[in-house]
Amino acid sequence: MQVVKAIWKQYKFNPDELEIRVELARDLKNSAAERDKIFKGQIRNKKTNDMVKEKLEEAEILVTDENILKYKLYEQQNFVSPYSGEIMAVSSFNSYEIDHIIPKSRYFDDSFSNKVLVEGNLNNEKSNRTAWEYIMQQNSKHSILTVENYVKHINDNFFGKKNKNLLLEKIPTNPVERQLKNTQYITVAIKNELAKVVGSDNVKTSTGEVTDFLRSRWGLKKLFMELTESRFKQMELWDLDENGNPKSEWVKRYVDKNGGNKYEIKNWSKRYDHRHHAIDALVVALTEQSHIQRLNNLNKYLQDELTNRKEEFKLEVKEDENILEAFFNLEEKRRGEIQKQIESSRHFDKPFEDLVKQAKAHLEAMTVSIKPKDKLGISKDKFDVNTPKKDLKSQLKIRAGLHQETNYGKTMDSKTGSLRDTKTVSISILKPKDISQIIDEVLKEEIDTHRKKYDSMKEAFTGEGLKVFNENRFQTKKPTELKPPVYKVKIWYSTKEDEESTLQRLYDKNEKLSVVTGDNYLFLVVEKEDKNGKERIFDIISLYDSADIAKRSLKDKKDNYKQCIISKKLELIKGQLKKELENARKELGDKLSKEKNKKKKEDLEIKINQLDDNFKVTLLFTLQQNELVYLPEKSDEDIFSGLNNNIETKKKLANRVYKAVKFDKSKTAHFVPHNYANVISVAKDLSKTQKDELQKQYGDKKIPKKDLNFVEYGSYRDCSPYPVGEAFIKNLTTTNKKQKQELKKIQEACIKLKIDWLGNISKA
């Protein structure tokens, strides 16, 4: 609704001349209970896919999306072909094909319930007949089940929609419209609101299935593959041979055995890039009711074409058969020729000739924005409608965790005689490195002795291992009595008592109770200017501290709490800088008083003179998660003049826009390019022996993801302080220090952006 409002305001359109089309998202057209069921099913499906991958690897079958689907069908069918009744051997797996029970050329359904795995020769022979038509006609050159045996086999082994499809005598009509659940609340609510703009007759709905079909037919899927190709091409750099060449191809262009041009990208999915939403919106906007109607009537179209072109195709229809039966009784080769002629005349023409060219230009110039995560907000009490707005009380809304759940206490360290931070943890989650930090020396020795009897910490201190541990612990003074069972242990929070703690007191009056602060609230980019020039310095304000300052501000009736938070932090930064200058001056002065070498004394004096107490600290900008920055190529670059009216300038900017993802305790901001929706992460083709070797290498520790997968950001996992690209990957993969480049962090030079609902960009 905000987008519709923004379009209306900017473009001043006439509602009487418009139609609004709404795509019913697959999960939105279901109730809350159905969406929950789908979500749980997706989780189960992922686990199933992982198990199938293992089975394919064991059978030495190439792991591809198609083979995963084939194996799932193979298992669902109990390893039996539904058409021949023959057992299907794993050794012949590559000879089996996926068949659409109701052919795609006659019915718009590409779901799992419309697919079976069958012998390749039967799939070719069945062609574009339904399973029921193929079995009923009993004119196969191969061995297939009789009608009676087929019906029994299907009823004994298949259930639900797949059972119905396999026994379906007549193809249903209007499948797309039947899927629309227009009575569900979300659809009704959307249509009612949009009807206020253009009238109810001009709000039309479509489905994701229609969008998928037209996107591919209009060439927009291939376009999007080409726009995202460079990301996948870069993945080859993670796996090079001794000569520096990629071991495998991620992007392939080739000519198949039939002379067709093929274009494949390993592991490609539109969901790696947010811009797929824009493509879908474009397709939905250009979808016409006639497109949907034609997809609803694929089977009728086939019948009409056969009837109207009967003479052209030289079809002879006998007295006891209809036009479809006459077509299916033709020889396979002739039937295929006719089908090709019909398919060639069934076009879904592009809405306009240069659709792909225009879409490409706008997609390349697009900057994707996501609403920033502001973890603090204000709400006004509205209990009394008669209370004037100025008198309403402001309340702070906190939208994230202030601190982690674990509480920390203080315990006297007998070795140092000082209080140290401690925490209590479950014995089942102990790691080998934690054992040395256990406070109770006797318990520490018992745990260390017990864990050496097992292959892993998990095995030693969960289930049977934990039971054995507690049953073997006898008291020294009473050898016949067991010690109380241990399920939790107290350990030191840090390895050194003088280590700078990240803990914060939970309550001012309780010095012993502390917590680890939770989320960060703001990342500050500050400019320090003195006689030596300008430099950027960075700092972070935790949500814990920010909430405390904000509450005090609201108590003092100051609604500009964010400015209060920033001002407080700037004061602390200035104080810290002055303290660092004093320490540096004292340290250099001490060296100067002891130095006898004239040249070195002169160097020290220069350094002392460079220290400037009269510095100025200015806030450049703050960052929160999802906010955007632009990384200029040159420090004096001005790209913002007339930006929103120049598509080429917008394209140049879009190539260097990054989204803030997280800020770590080292005061470093991590980013991803604005259009990245997911990080590319693909499992390495490792054998079981290689995986076992890795596990030995890491012992009790979990094998890092970077060793199991090719991950786009390498050891950084899902985001990085540096611009991702060829130089970034080479820096992480090369062992030659001379070949490494000095990469500049994005935060060192970036400019914060401001962007509205329609993508209009300016400096923040």
Side-chain angles (χ1 to χ4, degrees):
M1 297 310 296
Q2 290 285 4
V3 172
V4 171
K5 178 182 174 183
I7 293 171
W8 199 342
K9 286 177 71 174
Q10 180 163 323
Y11 295 101
K12 317 290 185 198
F13 61 66
N14 180 359
D16 296 334
E17 299 173 356
L18 288 182
E19 174 182 279
I20 296 180
R21 302 201 65 88
V22 181
E23 182 190 79
L24 304 179
R26 288 169 175 81
D27 52 352
L28 283 183
K29 63 186 181 184
N30 293 293
S31 67
E34 287 172 317
R35 291 200 302 274
D36 183 60
K37 185 178 178 182
I38 290 169
F39 177 69
K40 289 175 179 174
Q42 288 170 341
I43 294 173
R44 286 196 302 272
N45 193 45
K46 186 180 184 306
K47 290 179 179 176
T48 302
N49 284 351
D50 290 340
M51 287 190 286
V52 167
K53 286 177 185 177
E54 289 181 12
K55 290 176 181 178
L56 289 173
E57 286 172 355
E58 287 174 11
E60 297 183 347
I61 298 170
L62 187 65
V63 178
T64 63
D65 290 342
E66 183 183 11
N67 281 346
I68 290 171
L69 176 58
K70 284 171 69 175
Y71 200 90
K72 286 164 78 173
L73 291 167
Y74 178 65
E75 285 195 327
Q76 187 199 50
Q77 296 167 197
N78 295 319
F79 322 114
V80 175
S81 166
Y83 300 157
S84 68
E86 298 291 333
I87 293 175
M88 306 168 81
V90 175
S91 57
S92 305
F93 191 80
N94 291 329
S95 68
Y96 303 129
E97 296 177 0
I98 296 171
D99 172 55
H100 283 74
I101 301 167
I102 309 174
K104 284 173 71 176
S105 62
R106 298 172 63 194
Y107 185 73
F108 194 59
D109 183 2
D110 195 36
S111 67
F112 190 79
S113 59
N114 193 36
K115 294 173 183 174
V116 286
L117 191 69
V118 300
E119 296 88 341
N121 56 352
L122 298 191
N123 187 33
N124 290 331
E125 185 180 61
K126 173 179 173 283
S127 186
N128 53 356
R129 284 181 278 187
T130 67
W132 181 254
E133 289 167 342
Y134 178 52
I135 296 296
M136 273 294 291
Q137 289 168 13
Q138 288 291 306
N139 58 359
S140 173
K141 297 175 184 176
H142 310 285
S143 175
I144 62 172
L145 290 168
T146 64
V147 176
E148 184 181 354
N149 288 339
Y150 173 77
V151 172
K152 184 178 185 308
H153 176 74
I154 299 306
N155 284 330
D156 287 347
N157 293 279
F158 296 93
F159 309 92
K161 189 178 176 184
K162 184 166 286 191
N163 175 282
K164 290 179 182 177
N165 284 344
L166 285 162
L167 298 175
L168 198 68
E169 295 184 29
K170 185 179 179 182
I171 294 178
T173 57
N174 212 13
V176 176
E177 283 299 319
R178 198 176 65 253
Q179 291 175 29
L180 301 183
K181 298 183 179 179
N182 286 333
T183 56
Q184 297 219 342
Y185 175 77
I186 190 71
T187 309
V188 174
I190 288 172
K191 291 189 73 172
N192 286 345
E193 288 301 312
L194 294 174
K196 296 173 186 176
V197 182
V198 296
S200 58
D201 290 342
N202 290 322
V203 181
K204 305 289 174 60
T205 58
S206 182
T207 64
E209 291 86 352
V210 172
T211 306
D212 286 347
F213 180 84
L214 293 176
R215 180 178 55 239
S216 182
R217 283 298 178 106
W218 289 344
L220 293 172
K221 178 183 176 182
K222 185 184 178 188
L223 166 66
F224 200 44
M225 289 177 73
E226 290 171 346
L227 289 178
T228 55
E229 178 185 304
S230 60
R231 283 180 70 184
F232 294 85
K233 189 70 179 170
Q234 280 176 181
M235 294 301 292
E236 295 178 356
L237 300 174
W238 289 107
D239 190 26
L240 304 176
D241 60 23
E242 60 276 5
N243 298 317
N245 299 315
K247 290 181 181 177
S248 60
E249 280 187 287
W250 281 61
V251 180
K252 292 181 182 179
R253 284 184 171 85
Y254 60 94
V255 178
D256 66 13
K257 60 184 179 182
N258 298 318
N261 292 318
K262 293 293 181 179
Y263 176 43
E264 293 178 5
I265 299 179
K266 183 178 178 180
N267 201 54
W268 186 86
S269 166
K270 68 174 186 173
R271 301 194 183 278
Y272 283 117
D273 192 307
H274 284 301
R275 291 175 296 176
H276 79 266
H277 295 295
I279 291 181
D280 289 352
L282 175 64
V283 174
V284 171
L286 295 173
T287 299
E288 297 177 2
Q289 289 305 108
S290 60
H291 294 138
I292 297 173
Q293 194 62 33
R294 287 174 67 189
L295 288 173
N296 288 346
N297 294 300
L298 291 179
N299 192 52
K300 185 176 184 299
Y301 180 82
L302 175 64
Q303 292 182 59
D304 289 347
E305 285 291 293
L306 290 172
T307 302
N308 296 334
R309 300 166 70 178
K310 186 170 72 171
E311 300 300 324
E312 178 190 340
F313 296 146
K314 297 178 181 177
L315 266 177
E316 293 183 15
V317 183
K318 297 175 182 176
E319 284 187 21
D320 58 341
E321 63 183 13
N322 59 37
I323 192 77
L324 275 177
E325 289 170 336
F327 171 66
F328 293 138
N329 285 329
L330 292 173
E331 288 186 8
E332 183 183 334
K333 184 180 178 183
R334 179 62 187 141
R335 199 167 61 239
E337 290 171 354
I338 292 173
Q339 185 65 41
K340 277 186 179 179
Q341 288 178 268
I342 291 174
E343 284 292 322
S344 65
S345 64
R346 188 170 65 90
H347 293 300
F348 280 81
D349 293 326
K350 294 172 186 173
F352 44 90
E353 192 57 40
D354 63 344
L355 168 66
V356 173
K357 182 181 176 182
Q358 285 198 48
K360 181 175 186 285
H362 286 282
L363 287 165
E364 287 178 330
M366 180 177 294
T367 296
V368 177
S369 62
I370 297 173
K371 189 176 179 181
K373 294 182 178 178
D374 195 339
K375 295 166 186 173
L376 290 180
I378 289 180
S379 64
K380 299 276 190 179
D381 285 340
K382 296 182 180 178
F383 299 116
D384 186 356
V385 292
N386 298 317
T387 304
K389 191 174 181 180
K390 63 182 180 63
D391 295 331
L392 288 174
K393 186 181 177 183
S394 297
Q395 288 192 330
L396 190 67
K397 292 171 71 176
I398 301 171
R399 304 188 183 100
L402 290 175
H403 57 79
Q404 294 179 9
E405 293 180 3
T406 306
N407 285 337
Y408 298 80
K410 297 278 187 182
T411 299
M412 183 65 70
D413 187 348
S414 58
K415 294 178 182 177
T416 63
S418 60
L419 288 170
R420 285 179 62 187
D421 294 314
T422 64
K423 64 177 178 179
T424 302
V425 298
S426 171
I427 195 172
S428 62
I429 63 168
L430 273 182
K431 297 175 182 175
K433 65 178 182 179
D434 295 328
I435 294 176
S436 62
Q437 298 302 304
I438 297 172
I439 296 169
D440 187 318
E441 293 294 335
V442 175
L443 185 57
K444 181 197 295 186
E445 188 177 342
E446 290 176 345
I447 286 175
D448 195 36
T449 302
H450 179 72
R451 68 110 174 190
K452 289 174 182 176
K453 299 174 183 176
Y454 293 83
D455 292 333
S456 67
M457 290 287 287
K458 184 177 181 181
E459 187 182 356
F461 297 105
T462 57
E464 191 64 30
L466 180 58
K467 183 182 177 185
V468 171
F469 171 69
N470 281 317
E471 285 178 350
N472 290 338
R473 297 176 60 250
F474 288 91
Q475 298 184 36
T476 307
K477 294 181 180 179
K478 299 178 182 178
T480 58
E481 294 184 22
L482 283 172
K483 293 179 181 179
V486 175
Y487 300 106
K488 292 187 176 183
V489 292
K490 188 182 280 189
I491 64 176
W492 299 116
Y493 170 62
S494 58
T495 55
K496 299 176 183 176
E497 64 273 12
D498 59 347
E499 184 180 324
E500 185 181 349
S501 177
T502 57
L503 297 178
Q504 185 149 351
R505 282 211 306 266
L506 186 56
Y507 306 110
D508 289 342
K509 294 178 182 178
N510 188 341
E511 293 188 4
K512 289 188 176 182
L513 187 58
S514 305
V515 291
V516 173
T517 52
D519 291 358
N520 293 314
Y521 179 51
L522 290 175
F523 182 81
L524 273 67
V525 180
V526 176
E527 186 175 75
K528 177 193 170 190
E529 184 178 4
D530 59 17
K531 64 184 182 184
N532 301 310
K534 297 178 180 179
E535 68 168 315
R536 284 190 177 188
I537 55 176
F538 311 96
D539 214 327
I540 291 173
I541 311 176
S542 72
L543 182 61
Y544 188 96
D545 289 332
S546 300
D548 184 54
I549 297 168
K551 280 189 283 185
R552 295 175 197 271
S553 301
L554 295 181
K555 196 174 181 181
D556 295 336
K557 297 188 176 178
K558 296 177 184 175
D559 281 359
N560 62 337
Y561 65 90
K562 190 174 285 189
Q563 190 56 50
C564 295
I565 293 167
I566 293 168
S567 298
K568 182 76 172 174
K569 191 63 176 180
L570 285 176
E571 286 176 21
L572 293 172
I573 290 172
K574 288 175 187 175
Q576 182 63 31
L577 288 172
K578 285 187 176 181
K579 188 176 179 181
E580 288 173 5
L581 280 169
E582 288 170 9
N583 291 339
R585 185 172 281 110
K586 184 178 182 303
E587 187 180 339
L588 290 170
D590 290 343
K591 286 183 179 179
L592 182 63
S593 63
K594 295 174 184 176
E595 186 59 62
K596 293 180 180 179
N597 183 289
K598 184 180 177 182
K599 178 68 174 68
K600 289 183 179 178
K601 284 181 76 123
E602 287 174 356
D603 290 343
L604 287 168
E605 285 172 352
I606 291 171
K607 287 181 179 178
I608 291 171
N609 289 330
Q610 285 176 339
L611 299 175
D612 185 7
D613 288 325
N614 297 316
F615 61 84
K616 185 169 73 172
V617 171
T618 310
L619 176 73
L620 292 181
F621 54 86
T622 63
L623 283 177
Q624 293 179 304
Q625 281 179 301
N626 288 341
E627 289 193 310
L628 301 178
V629 299
Y630 170 66
L631 184 62
E633 290 186 278
K634 300 174 184 176
S635 58
D636 59 346
E637 182 181 20
D638 181 14
I639 201 170
F640 295 95
S641 179
L643 169 67
N644 295 307
N645 298 317
N646 189 319
I647 198 163
E648 286 302 316
T649 310
K650 288 180 78 172
K651 178 180 174 181
K652 183 179 177 183
L653 177 131
N655 286 333
R656 297 181 67 81
V657 173
Y658 295 86
K659 179 181 72 176
V661 176
K662 68 179 181 183
F663 318 108
D664 63 33
K665 60 185 178 183
S666 67
K667 300 176 184 176
T668 300
H670 295 243
F671 300 86
V672 294
H674 64 99
N675 55 299
Y676 283 26
N678 291 297
V679 174
I680 300 172
S681 180
V682 180
K684 293 180 180 179
D685 189 17
L686 299 176
S687 65
K688 190 174 185 304
T689 305
Q690 289 173 312
K691 288 179 182 177
D692 290 342
E693 285 297 320
L694 275 173
Q695 195 60 69
K696 285 180 185 177
Q697 182 183 332
Y698 287 99
D700 286 322
K701 296 179 182 177
K702 189 177 180 182
I703 302 172
K705 198 170 184 179
K706 67 181 179 65
D707 288 331
L708 295 174
N709 290 23
F710 294 119
V711 187
E712 192 167 17
Y713 277 92
S715 54
Y716 283 102
R717 296 285 298 270
D718 54 3
C719 52
S720 163
Y722 307 100
V724 70
E726 190 170 323
F728 171 80
I729 297 173
K730 285 182 176 178
N731 254 33
L732 289 181
T733 53
T734 184
T735 54
N736 189 332
K737 291 183 179 179
K738 291 182 180 179
Q739 291 179 352
K740 286 184 181 288
Q741 298 180 33
E742 188 176 344
L743 299 177
K744 196 171 185 179
K745 290 181 179 177
I746 294 170
Q747 67 192 50
E748 296 288 349
C750 65
I751 299 167
K752 186 178 177 181
L753 297 178
K754 181 181 178 183
I755 187 163
D756 67 12
W757 283 102
L758 299 183
N760 297 308
I761 300 168
S762 59
K763 280 186 185 179

